[in-house]
Amino acid sequence: MNIKAKNWMIPLIVTTLFGLQSEVVAAGERESLEEVRATTMSLIELLVQEGVLSKEKAQILLQQAQQAKLKAKNEADALAADNTQLPEKAVGQPKSIRVQYIPEHVKNEMRAEIEQDVMKKLNYKTEERLGLPEWIDRIEWTGALRLRYQQDMFSDTNAIPGTLNNEVQNMVVNNSTEDRQRQRVRALFGANIHINEWLNGGIRFTTGMLQTPVTPNQTEGFSQGKFVFGLDRAFLEAKPYDWLTLTGGRFANPFFTGNQTFGTDLIWDPDLAFDGFSAQANPNINKSWKLFSTVGAFPIEEVESSNTNKARDKWLYAAQGGIEWTSSNESKVKLGVAYYDFKNVEGERNPVNDSLKYAGTVALWRQKGNQTFSINDGTTNGNLCGSNGLCGLASQFQLINFTGEVDLAVFDPVHVILHGAYVQNIGFDQNEISRRTGNIYKKENEGYELSMMVGQPIIKKLHDWQVFGGYRRLEADAMLDGFTDSNFRLGGTDAKGFYVGAQYGVGKNAWLSSRYVSADEISGLPFSIDTFFVDFNGRF
């Protein structure tokens, strides 16, 4: 506590707690007054121990208290003598008590200083007693749990797995006709770390299969033993200016793709982590208008090139820009355009009798849908593609992506959100593909999505709710199939269909959600899947 606070506390104690010395009290109140004086004595002793008051000043206060006690006793005795001469109604009537007036701003200032001083000493004593380091206060723990029931329903007219695992689309599926029911779990646990005024960091662990970048779900079953728990986030985030954010490591998708709470992401899986570096600039034009932009470089797969391995590192270079408008009632309109350039992801054909030279061009992180070809010459497993051969992607991938969202808050807290997205792979070139693969492929390089949500944008508390629905169409080579939504036709491209769902809050940070997805193939062999999800979610 500083000197200013001390100088105010001394007269406050004297005038407020001992201000009764100039007043006359009734005999029935003497006991209560004695209790107040005893408490005050203890308070003075405590202030001396804490160093707030010196012993000299404390002695002055105690002397004043003793004088006040003596004066009050004399006045009380005089009052008892005078009461015999007062009218009957006047006897026993209490006198008013005067309390010195303290200005409100002085009270607030004193309160803040006292609170700061007390908390400082309390924290010091806590650290001294428990041995807690200072940095513990700069960590925010986060996490989420999700229990899921999932039912996959396959059409009876689907092609059998053997024909689906062909050279053109190489789906590599084990089942296409038998329905499947699963109980699944997802667990997320992480920490946001405040390092200093301009630098933050974060780590997060998640369940899921290690060989896929898109899904954190773990199918339950005794026979599996322990669940897999891996590092899914590890990043540093610098903010040299309020409008600029620089991020490096492994982190969440930095691009604007829509409201993720009801699954409006045409080309990216919502659980996909981005490795690499990104820079985001979000300057405000005025109160209503704001610009946003993101650029980044993201390694997909590092390849050890050599004289015998001519494959090169796979990268994604990306940029997005857009504008956001916010109305006086918090309604928003947000528009963005992005360019995604995937480098060295297309396959290269191996020379005759050399199955290793371009083996590294094969995409190991595929789901299904992209058009493929066998990179081996006809004399070396040329007719095999899939689990017994090597399939490369036929097309290059350079995407133009438009995303727009309208958030109507006129019925707040209920919102109406309209979402739309379009993507085109301008890297699809039939002549270039024919030269490299020797095959001719149909041009299927576009996709779009339209959706709507009504309700609270984020489920936070009891009785929050939302309902949503949408339609999606994503052609075979509109996007790399390895990074798309793993719930829509169980992942991949060459899919079209609709989804509907609802979410409801059952308590603070706890909610139920349900979704039904119906998706069919766009071209190629028949392969339709309907999927039903019921989730129980909790977060902290």
Side-chain angles (χ1 to χ4, degrees), residues 189-265:
F189 182 73
N192 297 321
I193 306 167
H194 178 67
I195 298 174
N196 57 39
E197 292 77 11
W198 58 271
L199 184 64
N200 295 311
I203 58 174
R204 190 180 79 173
F205 293 87
T206 181
T207 52
M209 297 177 290
L210 297 180
Q211 65 269 29
T212 174
V214 294
T215 177
N217 294 308
Q218 187 82 47
T219 301
E220 296 183 58
F222 286 113
S223 62
Q224 297 184 77
K226 305 296 185 295
F227 290 159
V228 177
F229 209 53
L231 186 64
D232 185 51
R233 298 281 193 275
F235 63 90
L236 288 174
E237 180 182 272
K239 288 184 71 69
Y241 305 99
D242 291 339
W243 53 270
L244 179 63
T245 302
L246 307 175
T247 309
R250 167 168 284 200
F251 44 90
N253 189 341
F255 299 101
F256 164 57
T257 60
N259 190 311
Q260 294 299 318
T261 63
F262 59 99
T264 58
D265 201 328

Side-chain angles (χ1 to χ4, degrees), residues 253-311:
N253 189 341
F255 299 101
F256 164 57
T257 60
N259 190 311
Q260 294 299 318
T261 63
F262 59 99
T264 58
D265 201 328
L266 175 63
I267 60 177
W268 301 109
D269 186 276
D271 294 308
L272 179 67
F274 277 61
D275 292 77
F277 167 82
S278 74
Q280 295 177 287
N282 302 297
N284 293 322
I285 300 176
N286 53 42
K287 186 177 180 180
S288 299
W289 293 91
K290 180 172 69 174
L291 299 176
F292 65 91
S293 61
T294 303
V295 297
F298 311 97
I300 298 175
E301 182 183 343
E302 193 271 337
V303 178
E304 187 177 4
S305 301
S306 66
N307 292 333
T308 58
N309 179 13
K310 293 298 183 180

Side-chain angles (χ1 to χ4, degrees), residues 196-498:
N196 57 39
E197 292 77 11
W198 58 271
L199 184 64
N200 295 311
I203 58 174
R204 190 180 79 173
F205 293 87
T206 181
T207 52
M209 297 177 290
L210 297 180
Q211 65 269 29
T212 174
V214 294
T215 177
N217 294 308
Q218 187 82 47
T219 301
E220 296 183 58
F222 286 113
S223 62
Q224 297 184 77
K226 305 296 185 295
F227 290 159
V228 177
F229 209 53
L231 186 64
D232 185 51
R233 298 281 193 275
F235 63 90
L236 288 174
E237 180 182 272
K239 288 184 71 69
Y241 305 99
D242 291 339
W243 53 270
L244 179 63
T245 302
L246 307 175
T247 309
R250 167 168 284 200
F251 44 90
N253 189 341
F255 299 101
F256 164 57
T257 60
N259 190 311
Q260 294 299 318
T261 63
F262 59 99
T264 58
D265 201 328
L266 175 63
I267 60 177
W268 301 109
D269 186 276
D271 294 308
L272 179 67
F274 277 61
D275 292 77
F277 167 82
S278 74
Q280 295 177 287
N282 302 297
N284 293 322
I285 300 176
N286 53 42
K287 186 177 180 180
S288 299
W289 293 91
K290 180 172 69 174
L291 299 176
F292 65 91
S293 61
T294 303
V295 297
F298 311 97
I300 298 175
E301 182 183 343
E302 193 271 337
V303 178
E304 187 177 4
S305 301
S306 66
N307 292 333
T308 58
N309 179 13
K310 293 298 183 180
R312 293 171 291 176
D313 294 347
K314 301 176 177 65
W315 280 81
L316 165 63
Y317 301 101
Q320 183 184 58
I323 191 167
E324 180 178 347
W325 173 77
T326 304
S327 71
S328 58
N329 65 359
E330 298 302 319
S331 294
K332 296 181 180 180
V333 178
K334 193 171 185 179
L335 302 172
V337 57
Y339 175 70
Y340 302 106
D341 186 6
F342 293 88
K343 293 294 188 182
N344 305 322
V345 297
E346 67 275 10
E348 291 285 348
R349 189 180 293 277
N350 281 321
V352 176
N353 297 323
D354 187 353
S355 61
L356 298 178
K357 190 169 187 178
Y358 291 105
T361 65
V362 173
L364 303 177
W365 22 263
R366 292 194 58 224
Q367 295 186 94
K368 56 182 180 292
N370 289 157
Q371 298 184 99
T372 62
F373 72 101
S374 173
I375 68 170
N376 288 324
D377 184 77
T379 60
T380 309
N381 293 332
N383 296 324
L384 297 177
C385 192
S387 58
N388 296 322
L390 297 175
C391 278
L393 300 179
S395 176
Q396 297 180 355
F397 289 85
Q398 299 168 12
L399 312 182
I400 297 293
N401 174 223
F402 298 91
T403 305
E405 193 165 271
V406 178
D407 184 349
L408 302 175
V410 292
F411 308 107
D412 190 68
V414 174
H415 288 225
V416 177
I417 299 179
L418 305 175
H419 170 86
Y422 171 81
V423 64
Q424 181 179 137
N425 176 16
I426 61 176
F428 188 97
D429 186 331
Q430 287 180 316
N431 294 329
E432 190 275 334
I433 293 174
S434 177
R435 177 197 61 78
R436 185 163 38 83
T437 69
N439 302 326
I440 302 296
Y441 293 92
K442 184 179 178 180
K443 190 174 185 178
E444 297 178 303
N445 65 331
E446 295 181 276
Y448 65 87
E449 179 175 38
L450 297 171
S451 63
M452 182 176 73
M453 187 282 293
V454 179
Q456 277 82 14
I458 302 177
I459 308 299
K460 296 181 179 179
K461 61 183 184 303
L462 180 65
H463 302 316
D464 280 357
W465 62 275
Q466 65 174 228
V467 293
F468 56 86
Y471 180 85
R472 180 182 300 173
R473 177 186 172 92
L474 193 62
E475 294 178 350
D477 291 315
M479 170 61 180
L480 283 167
D481 62 27
F483 301 141
T484 60
D485 186 356
S486 60
N487 292 330
F488 193 78
R489 206 176 74 134
L490 299 184
T493 60
D494 187 36
K496 62 180 179 180
F498 69 90

Side-chain angles (χ1 to χ4, degrees), residues 62-135:
L62 292 173
Q63 291 176 357
Q64 291 177 350
Q66 186 63 30
Q67 293 173 1
K69 179 179 179 181
L70 180 60
K71 184 177 180 180
K73 181 179 182 302
N74 294 335
E75 291 177 347
D77 293 339
L79 175 63
D82 292 342
N83 279 343
T84 58
Q85 303 176 3
L86 292 177
E88 183 179 353
K89 292 184 179 180
V91 177
Q93 289 184 351
K95 297 289 185 178
S96 61
I97 299 175
R98 294 195 307 270
V99 178
Q100 179 176 338
Y101 172 72
I102 306 297
E104 189 64 31
H105 72 279
V106 175
K107 293 180 182 178
N108 294 335
E109 185 177 358
M110 292 175 58
R111 184 182 297 111
E113 292 175 349
I114 294 172
E115 180 179 350
Q116 182 179 5
D117 187 70
V118 171
M119 291 305 298
K120 181 179 180 181
K121 293 182 177 180
L122 178 61
N123 289 338
Y124 172 79
K125 290 182 179 180
T126 301
E127 293 171 7
E128 187 180 65
R129 184 172 64 253
L130 301 180
L132 297 178
E134 172 272 338
W135 53 262

